[in-house]
Amino acid sequence: MTMSAGWYLRRLSRMGPREVAGRAGDTVRRRRWRSAQPDCPTVSGARFTAVLPAGTVAAVPPDAAKRLVAEADLLMAGHAEFFGVARDDLTDPDWSYDPKTGHRAPSGYAFDVPYRNESVAGDIKQIWEPSRHQYLTVLAAAYAVTGDERYAERVAKHLRSWWAANPPLRGVHWISGIELGIRLLSWVWIRRLLDGWPGAAELFEDNPVALNQIWHHQRWLAAFPSRGSSANNHVIAETAGQFAAACAFNWFPSSARWRSDALRSLERQLRANTFDSGLNRELATEYHGLVLELGLAALAEADAANVQVPESLRLVLLRMTDALAAVVDNRLRPPRQGDADDGHGLILDGAGTDRWASLLASGDAVFGRLEWWPAVTGTDVRTPLLAALIRPYSDKGTAPAVTRPASRPAHFADAGLTILRGPGEIWCRCDGGPHGFLSIAAHAHADALSVEVRHDGVDVLADPGTYCYHGQPEWRQYFRSTLGHNTLRLDGSDQSVSGGPFLWTRHARTRVLAADPSGEGVARWCAEHDGYQRSVHRRRVELTAASQELRVVDEVRGPRRAVHLAFHLGPAIAADLADNRAVLTWTRDGEDRSAVLDLPGQLSWRAHRGESDPPLGWYSAGFGRKEPTTTLVGTGFADGAEGFTTVLRFRG
């Protein structure tokens, strides 16, 4: 996907003067760096001291260690999967090869590589993901747990291969700061986990090639931070990786400056990226997880290096953890909201480890769980290792500067997110929040007033997900469109106007009119948005406990408009639609379950499943993966005379 001149003009229009000036300076610097590349300063006597405390690895639960080793053995055999594409070439990777398209990204000066053009460079995420080296942290963790040197030797082989194939500023892996930041964090943990291996020092601190790579990564991050309208999760990854490396690899004349600058930026950007309620401002749940993982990893490096961090940084991470505990369903699944690309900050676990349970377990170890937190029964490798480095919050010696919630929050006013809960483990997310973060709202979807409903953790009315970012514009557009969510579309238009795959030029403004998630017998929510010119869409949602009934009422105030009202069913749901009634059935833990969905009779209803021209009726469980599911779409007209009432009744 190449960007047109019009896209660049639209992108420029979303920048302020300071950002424009900063980007102009970046352009000049890139040109200068093409011919003026300094050498890494000479380093002598470097030693790695940010090791795990004695006995830490022994605290890893046996079942978590078993999953880790199973994953590591698959990697040793060359097998892995990235974004739905299976690979069997990881015994000796080609670092510029995309197996999805068969293309190799061009070499040459990094900033000349047309990485957005899939026909030239391939699917860039397929190329970048292995080079985050998070699969190498898994192998390094397997060495730490087992002492089997085969894992360490494979890590060393791949690092030496990557360093040789990707010298500073050459090729596709020197383009994006988030990639450099996460890669640095991986290298810190690889060195830590290999500390007992005799070749660890020779691989890192006694290796001029490694030192050169580490230094140039940090120099790059100091020079080209994400700016202004792009200062979202990317800037957190950049500063967390920079800070981690400057703490653990503090071997260079610039290390102290890099460390202080990165810490100052990390604290400021964590606050800027987080609502006071603790939810991430991008309102994209997976990025909440990514930012929290990065923040905890950075905090671990600070405490390991005895670097004092502002109390505000710990408090942001505390609020994020409490917010996560508040919004998950009874199976510890958080909302599916906004973009999701399966990005992780630090991976030390094998397949089958629950990401969200792991984060809550880490939050418990670092901050202490509250009484209303959901129980976490799963185990992981990462929690005991992080907890061994981070000083528990209670050890700070001062009382918390914030009052933690005494009961489970259900309405997050600043984020416009409300959770309605009912009997039978009914969970309903109502979206009345801002359209994304910053002027471009890069990871937002046109999903104002959408609802997401689960029963015992099963998606009933589902958020379809994301599926892709680059290379397939029709699919990118569908999964972020208004029709791609459980809400109402007027005159065939999205509520917010897209200017490109990560750019929105007009944002729908939403306001919550009422939120009573703990109402006596009936939980209620009501909100409206102005995304449709000359019309206002208002939605009321009521969840009645006694009848296990969810009622959704949509009103359109304004002139007569064509209406599409969509309800996307989860992939486990079978639907039998007759006129305006759909009988829904599914199985959970071997038990048959069902519900009835009564749809507005004023509209003409049709079931869509797995359609591609145009896309409709799809669910993406993870980035790069999609599967057919049933979407019910009602068509007709709204003239302001009456609302559209939808009733979902769960049986039994």
mmCIF file of all heavy atoms in Angstrom, residues 373-395:
data_model
loop_
_atom_site.group_PDB
_atom_site.id
_atom_site.type_symbol
_atom_site.label_atom_id
_atom_site.label_comp_id
_atom_site.label_asym_id
_atom_site.label_seq_id
_atom_site.Cartn_x
_atom_site.Cartn_y
_atom_site.Cartn_z
ATOM 1 N N TRP A 373 -11.213 -7.898 42.677
ATOM 2 C CA TRP A 373 -10.559 -8.422 41.484
ATOM 3 C C TRP A 373 -11.053 -9.833 41.181
ATOM 4 O O TRP A 373 -11.295 -10.627 42.104
ATOM 5 C CB TRP A 373 -9.054 -8.492 41.696
ATOM 6 C CG TRP A 373 -8.292 -7.247 41.398
ATOM 7 C CD1 TRP A 373 -8.731 -5.967 41.503
ATOM 8 C CD2 TRP A 373 -6.936 -7.181 40.960
ATOM 9 N NE1 TRP A 373 -7.727 -5.102 41.163
ATOM 10 C CE2 TRP A 373 -6.613 -5.816 40.825
ATOM 11 C CE3 TRP A 373 -5.971 -8.129 40.672
ATOM 12 C CZ2 TRP A 373 -5.356 -5.393 40.407
ATOM 13 C CZ3 TRP A 373 -4.714 -7.716 40.262
ATOM 14 C CH2 TRP A 373 -4.410 -6.357 40.132
ATOM 15 N N PRO A 374 -11.170 -10.196 39.912
ATOM 16 C CA PRO A 374 -11.504 -11.589 39.586
ATOM 17 C C PRO A 374 -10.344 -12.506 39.943
ATOM 18 O O PRO A 374 -9.179 -12.094 39.930
ATOM 19 C CB PRO A 374 -11.734 -11.548 38.071
ATOM 20 C CG PRO A 374 -10.911 -10.393 37.600
ATOM 21 C CD PRO A 374 -10.984 -9.368 38.709
ATOM 22 N N ALA A 375 -10.664 -13.737 40.265
ATOM 23 C CA ALA A 375 -9.630 -14.704 40.622
ATOM 24 C C ALA A 375 -8.836 -15.094 39.385
ATOM 25 O O ALA A 375 -9.386 -15.258 38.291
ATOM 26 C CB ALA A 375 -10.259 -15.941 41.246
ATOM 27 N N VAL A 376 -7.529 -15.220 39.547
ATOM 28 C CA VAL A 376 -6.643 -15.668 38.478
ATOM 29 C C VAL A 376 -6.102 -17.032 38.872
ATOM 30 O O VAL A 376 -5.395 -17.170 39.868
ATOM 31 C CB VAL A 376 -5.487 -14.674 38.255
ATOM 32 C CG1 VAL A 376 -4.519 -15.204 37.201
ATOM 33 C CG2 VAL A 376 -6.030 -13.316 37.840
ATOM 34 N N THR A 377 -6.452 -18.048 38.090
ATOM 35 C CA THR A 377 -6.034 -19.409 38.434
ATOM 36 C C THR A 377 -4.891 -19.906 37.557
ATOM 37 O O THR A 377 -4.229 -20.874 37.898
ATOM 38 C CB THR A 377 -7.224 -20.375 38.293
ATOM 39 O OG1 THR A 377 -7.751 -20.285 36.963
ATOM 40 C CG2 THR A 377 -8.326 -20.025 39.286
ATOM 41 N N GLY A 378 -4.666 -19.263 36.404
ATOM 42 C CA GLY A 378 -3.602 -19.709 35.512
ATOM 43 C C GLY A 378 -2.226 -19.314 36.024
ATOM 44 O O GLY A 378 -2.075 -18.525 36.960
ATOM 45 N N THR A 379 -1.211 -19.882 35.408
ATOM 46 C CA THR A 379 0.175 -19.597 35.785
ATOM 47 C C THR A 379 0.939 -19.084 34.567
ATOM 48 O O THR A 379 0.530 -19.273 33.425
ATOM 49 C CB THR A 379 0.877 -20.850 36.318
ATOM 50 O OG1 THR A 379 0.917 -21.836 35.272
ATOM 51 C CG2 THR A 379 0.135 -21.416 37.513
ATOM 52 N N ASP A 380 2.064 -18.448 34.826
ATOM 53 C CA ASP A 380 2.909 -17.978 33.736
ATOM 54 C C ASP A 380 4.348 -17.890 34.202
ATOM 55 O O ASP A 380 4.641 -17.957 35.396
ATOM 56 C CB ASP A 380 2.418 -16.633 33.206
ATOM 57 C CG ASP A 380 2.606 -15.499 34.212
ATOM 58 O OD1 ASP A 380 2.264 -15.696 35.393
ATOM 59 O OD2 ASP A 380 3.087 -14.423 33.817
ATOM 60 N N VAL A 381 5.257 -17.738 33.235
ATOM 61 C CA VAL A 381 6.688 -17.600 33.523
ATOM 62 C C VAL A 381 7.032 -16.159 33.847
ATOM 63 O O VAL A 381 7.841 -15.882 34.741
ATOM 64 C CB VAL A 381 7.522 -18.095 32.318
ATOM 65 C CG1 VAL A 381 9.010 -17.827 32.548
ATOM 66 C CG2 VAL A 381 7.274 -19.574 32.057
ATOM 67 N N ARG A 382 6.423 -15.233 33.138
ATOM 68 C CA ARG A 382 6.838 -13.835 33.221
ATOM 69 C C ARG A 382 6.612 -13.238 34.610
ATOM 70 O O ARG A 382 7.454 -12.459 35.108
ATOM 71 C CB ARG A 382 6.087 -13.011 32.171
ATOM 72 C CG ARG A 382 6.571 -11.581 32.044
ATOM 73 C CD ARG A 382 5.842 -10.857 30.936
ATOM 74 N NE ARG A 382 4.393 -10.806 31.180
ATOM 75 C CZ ARG A 382 3.510 -10.430 30.279
ATOM 76 N NH1 ARG A 382 3.913 -10.107 29.064
ATOM 77 N NH2 ARG A 382 2.228 -10.387 30.582
ATOM 78 N N THR A 383 5.497 -13.558 35.248
ATOM 79 C CA THR A 383 5.170 -12.915 36.522
ATOM 80 C C THR A 383 6.249 -13.104 37.581
ATOM 81 O O THR A 383 6.707 -12.120 38.178
ATOM 82 C CB THR A 383 3.804 -13.388 37.033
ATOM 83 O OG1 THR A 383 2.785 -12.814 36.209
ATOM 84 C CG2 THR A 383 3.566 -12.966 38.473
ATOM 85 N N PRO A 384 6.694 -14.334 37.881
ATOM 86 C CA PRO A 384 7.728 -14.450 38.935
ATOM 87 C C PRO A 384 9.036 -13.767 38.570
ATOM 88 O O PRO A 384 9.748 -13.287 39.469
ATOM 89 C CB PRO A 384 7.903 -15.963 39.095
ATOM 90 C CG PRO A 384 7.312 -16.577 37.886
ATOM 91 C CD PRO A 384 6.248 -15.654 37.420
ATOM 92 N N LEU A 385 9.361 -13.687 37.270
ATOM 93 C CA LEU A 385 10.607 -13.034 36.884
ATOM 94 C C LEU A 385 10.503 -11.525 37.030
ATOM 95 O O LEU A 385 11.422 -10.874 37.548
ATOM 96 C CB LEU A 385 10.970 -13.413 35.451
ATOM 97 C CG LEU A 385 11.102 -14.916 35.141
ATOM 98 C CD1 LEU A 385 11.692 -15.123 33.753
ATOM 99 C CD2 LEU A 385 11.957 -15.622 36.188
ATOM 100 N N LEU A 386 9.383 -10.946 36.563
ATOM 101 C CA LEU A 386 9.182 -9.517 36.767
ATOM 102 C C LEU A 386 9.109 -9.176 38.252
ATOM 103 O O LEU A 386 9.703 -8.194 38.721
ATOM 104 C CB LEU A 386 7.894 -9.057 36.075
ATOM 105 C CG LEU A 386 7.933 -8.782 34.576
ATOM 106 C CD1 LEU A 386 6.542 -8.409 34.094
ATOM 107 C CD2 LEU A 386 8.911 -7.677 34.236
ATOM 108 N N ALA A 387 8.346 -9.973 38.990
ATOM 109 C CA ALA A 387 8.143 -9.681 40.416
ATOM 110 C C ALA A 387 9.450 -9.746 41.197
ATOM 111 O O ALA A 387 9.607 -9.065 42.218
ATOM 112 C CB ALA A 387 7.125 -10.658 41.008
ATOM 113 N N ALA A 388 10.396 -10.540 40.706
ATOM 114 C CA ALA A 388 11.690 -10.628 41.398
ATOM 115 C C ALA A 388 12.505 -9.354 41.239
ATOM 116 O O ALA A 388 13.379 -9.062 42.066
ATOM 117 C CB ALA A 388 12.476 -11.820 40.862
ATOM 118 N N LEU A 389 12.219 -8.584 40.181
ATOM 119 C CA LEU A 389 12.974 -7.357 39.928
ATOM 120 C C LEU A 389 12.272 -6.108 40.444
ATOM 121 O O LEU A 389 12.926 -5.149 40.867
ATOM 122 C CB LEU A 389 13.220 -7.208 38.419
ATOM 123 C CG LEU A 389 14.072 -8.290 37.757
ATOM 124 C CD1 LEU A 389 14.111 -8.077 36.250
ATOM 125 C CD2 LEU A 389 15.484 -8.301 38.331
ATOM 126 N N ILE A 390 10.948 -6.095 40.411
ATOM 127 C CA ILE A 390 10.189 -4.903 40.801
ATOM 128 C C ILE A 390 9.911 -4.927 42.298
ATOM 129 O O ILE A 390 9.408 -5.920 42.829
ATOM 130 C CB ILE A 390 8.858 -4.825 40.032
ATOM 131 C CG1 ILE A 390 9.102 -4.799 38.521
ATOM 132 C CG2 ILE A 390 8.071 -3.588 40.448
ATOM 133 C CD1 ILE A 390 7.831 -4.839 37.697
ATOM 134 N N ARG A 391 10.214 -3.820 42.937
ATOM 135 C CA ARG A 391 9.887 -3.719 44.360
ATOM 136 C C ARG A 391 8.374 -3.623 44.516
ATOM 137 O O ARG A 391 7.720 -2.809 43.840
ATOM 138 C CB ARG A 391 10.543 -2.485 44.978
ATOM 139 C CG ARG A 391 12.053 -2.578 45.079
ATOM 140 C CD ARG A 391 12.612 -1.463 45.956
ATOM 141 N NE ARG A 391 12.388 -0.151 45.365
ATOM 142 C CZ ARG A 391 13.236 0.442 44.517
ATOM 143 N NH1 ARG A 391 14.333 -0.180 44.141
ATOM 144 N NH2 ARG A 391 12.980 1.643 44.045
ATOM 145 N N PRO A 392 7.779 -4.443 45.382
ATOM 146 C CA PRO A 392 6.326 -4.359 45.587
ATOM 147 C C PRO A 392 5.915 -2.949 45.968
ATOM 148 O O PRO A 392 6.651 -2.225 46.650
ATOM 149 C CB PRO A 392 6.068 -5.356 46.714
ATOM 150 C CG PRO A 392 7.212 -6.310 46.641
ATOM 151 C CD PRO A 392 8.389 -5.502 46.196
ATOM 152 N N TYR A 393 4.752 -2.576 45.550
ATOM 153 C CA TYR A 393 4.283 -1.212 45.784
ATOM 154 C C TYR A 393 4.260 -0.880 47.267
ATOM 155 O O TYR A 393 4.564 0.237 47.663
ATOM 156 C CB TYR A 393 2.889 -1.051 45.180
ATOM 157 C CG TYR A 393 2.444 0.383 45.070
ATOM 158 C CD1 TYR A 393 3.014 1.235 44.122
ATOM 159 C CD2 TYR A 393 1.467 0.903 45.911
ATOM 160 C CE1 TYR A 393 2.621 2.548 44.013
ATOM 161 C CE2 TYR A 393 1.067 2.220 45.800
ATOM 162 C CZ TYR A 393 1.643 3.036 44.858
ATOM 163 O OH TYR A 393 1.249 4.339 44.751
ATOM 164 N N SER A 394 3.919 -1.837 48.089
ATOM 165 C CA SER A 394 3.840 -1.591 49.535
ATOM 166 C C SER A 394 5.202 -1.313 50.144
ATOM 167 O O SER A 394 5.295 -0.797 51.253
ATOM 168 C CB SER A 394 3.207 -2.801 50.229
ATOM 169 O OG SER A 394 3.960 -3.979 49.966
ATOM 170 N N ASP A 395 6.283 -1.661 49.418
ATOM 171 C CA ASP A 395 7.629 -1.446 49.935
ATOM 172 C C ASP A 395 8.157 -0.038 49.659
ATOM 173 O O ASP A 395 9.275 0.289 50.019
ATOM 174 C CB ASP A 395 8.608 -2.453 49.308
ATOM 175 C CG ASP A 395 8.376 -3.861 49.820
ATOM 176 O OD1 ASP A 395 7.557 -4.014 50.746
ATOM 177 O OD2 ASP A 395 8.991 -4.798 49.294
#
